[in-house]
Amino acid sequence: ALDRLLAHYGQCARTQLRIAPADIGAPAIGHFALFHERHAASLWPLTLTWLEQGRLPAGHVGRVSPASA
C-alpha cells in the first residue's frame, strides 16, 4: 500500500523508512501506535526531526528503503 501511495509522488523526493519492532526494542509498533506515548522516547524524536528539518537524524533506527519508481 505504501509503495502505491508513494508512486503518486513520482516527481518528489521520497524517503521510506521501515522500522521493525525489534529496532526499538518493542514487541510491536502497530498502525497508529507511533502516536502512543510508549514510543515517545524511541519514535517521536525521529519524527520531529523529519518534520522540522526534512531529514533523518544521524544514527536513526530502521532502514531506508529505495523509493518506488
Side-chain angles (χ1 to χ4, degrees), residues 2-3 10 16 19-21 24 27 29 35 39-40 42 44-45 55 57 67 69:
L2 188 54
D3 288 335
Q16 183 178 1
I19 302 172
I24 59 169
I29 296 175
F35 305 105
H39 297 301
S42 59
W44 293 3
R55 64 171 182 79

Side-chain angles (χ1 to χ4, degrees), residues 41-68:
S42 59
L43 298 177
W44 293 3
L46 175 110
T47 305
L48 186 59
T49 299
W50 177 258
L51 291 172
E52 289 182 335
Q53 301 175 20
R55 64 171 182 79
L56 294 170
H60 64 82
V61 297
R63 66 180 177 82
V64 175
S65 295
S68 300

